Amino acid sequence: MLGVLGGMSWESTVTYYQLLNRGVRERLGGLHSAPLLLHSVDFAQIAAQQKAGEWDAAGDVLAEAARGLERAGATALLLATNTMHKVAAAIEAAVDIPLLHIGDAVGQALREGGIERAALLGTRFTMQEAFYRERLSQRFGIQVLVPGDKAMVEIDRVIFQELCVGRFLPDARAFYLDQLERLRAQGAQAAILGCTEIGLLLEGCASPLPLVDSGERHVAMGLEWMLGE
């Protein structure tokens, strides 16, 4: 039984639920669906803790939710967000079941694709802080390129003020694609969509770089765990 820690935001958690169930149906056929347990948090609380730098408190919230999923029968966890993997260690310390790390799912995909330099779009926490970039660098040898400071501010604003509330606007889409073109010119070979909502914004777009959707890769890791592939 796979446990999903979601709600950050629920827009992308819906996608996780859909993709996990579709993946099981495609592999097993018939009326098969994914055996899941979901704990969906109130994102307003988590976002406020992020903004205030109260990461330990946010980690405590997710650790308690993880314990609840374990008690309910989950035997592995997906944390359905990139940014909150900053507190992955707190979650791992709280339970006796594995946390399937989104950074490992992305890193494996990049390695399999022969990618050595990758652009990263995500929240400012994911782009600026070391927890994500260092995992990719140290475990998979990936050099990560990020936008400039001013662009990071706008990317972050779009995520929290638009994508997380279900607004996927043409101007935001054009801005994100422009940033990918700039990072391509700097030597990026592919782009990590390092926020689980960005794939919803860029769905169907002609991107200047091959896209590695972190949410899709994370779901694939969960499917491999569930189905023993």
Side-chain angles (χ1 to χ4, degrees):
M1 183 84 68
L2 187 63
V4 180
L5 282 166
M8 300 163 281
S9 70
W10 67 262
E11 294 284 347
S12 61
T13 302
V14 169
T15 301
Y16 267 74
Y17 184 78
Q18 290 175 330
L19 292 177
L20 285 165
N21 280 288
R22 287 173 184 165
V24 169
R25 183 180 62 192
E26 288 168 3
R27 288 161 176 78
L28 300 183
L31 295 177
H32 285 287
S33 56
L36 301 172
L37 292 167
L38 170 65
H39 185 121
S40 187
V41 302
D42 180 358
F43 190 37
Q45 177 187 6
I46 298 294
Q49 289 167 333
Q50 289 176 349
K51 187 175 181 179
E54 297 173 352
W55 293 100
D56 288 347
D60 289 344
V61 172
L62 296 183
E64 181 57 32
R67 283 190 287 266
L69 289 171
E70 183 178 28
R71 288 193 297 269
T75 52
L77 296 172
L78 287 182
L79 176 59
T81 162
N82 286 270
T83 298
M84 293 313 296
H85 277 76
K86 180 176 170 67
V87 300
I91 296 169
E92 290 169 329
V95 295
D96 294 320
I97 58 177
L99 175 70
L100 307 181
H101 199 291
I102 199 169
D104 293 342
V106 169
Q108 289 168 10
L110 292 169
R111 177 186 283 171
E112 290 168 3
I115 302 299
E116 297 178 349
R117 304 183 75 197
L120 172 63
L121 301 184
T123 67
R124 63 184 175 90
F125 307 111
T126 301
M127 291 186 288
Q128 290 177 342
E129 299 191 24
F131 72 95
Y132 200 90
R133 292 181 287 107
E134 285 187 357
R135 195 171 186 100
L136 293 174
S137 173
Q138 294 173 2
R139 294 197 173 203
F140 300 96
I142 306 298
Q143 180 184 357
V144 177
L145 306 178
V146 296
D149 290 345
K150 185 176 180 180
M152 280 192 199
V153 171
E154 177 61 8
I155 290 167
D156 187 81
R157 184 199 68 78
V158 167
I159 290 170
F160 282 98
Q161 296 185 19
E162 298 180 13
L163 307 188
C164 286
V165 294
R167 300 176 66 211
F168 305 100
L169 304 179
D171 286 350
R173 188 173 296 114
F175 178 75
Y176 274 52
L177 291 172
D178 177 67
Q179 291 306 307
L180 292 179
E181 173 58 35
R182 292 171 185 267
L183 290 163
R184 185 199 64 79
Q186 295 174 29
Q189 300 164 292
I192 304 162
L193 304 186
C195 172
T196 49
E197 287 82 15
I198 297 176
L200 300 173
L201 176 68
L202 298 185
E203 185 175 6
C205 290
S207 169
L209 286 169
L211 302 179
V212 177
D213 187 311
S214 59
E216 289 181 358
R217 298 297 180 174
H218 204 198
V219 165
M221 176 180 276
L223 289 169
E224 287 178 10
W225 182 86
M226 281 195 292
L227 300 176
E229 298 176 0

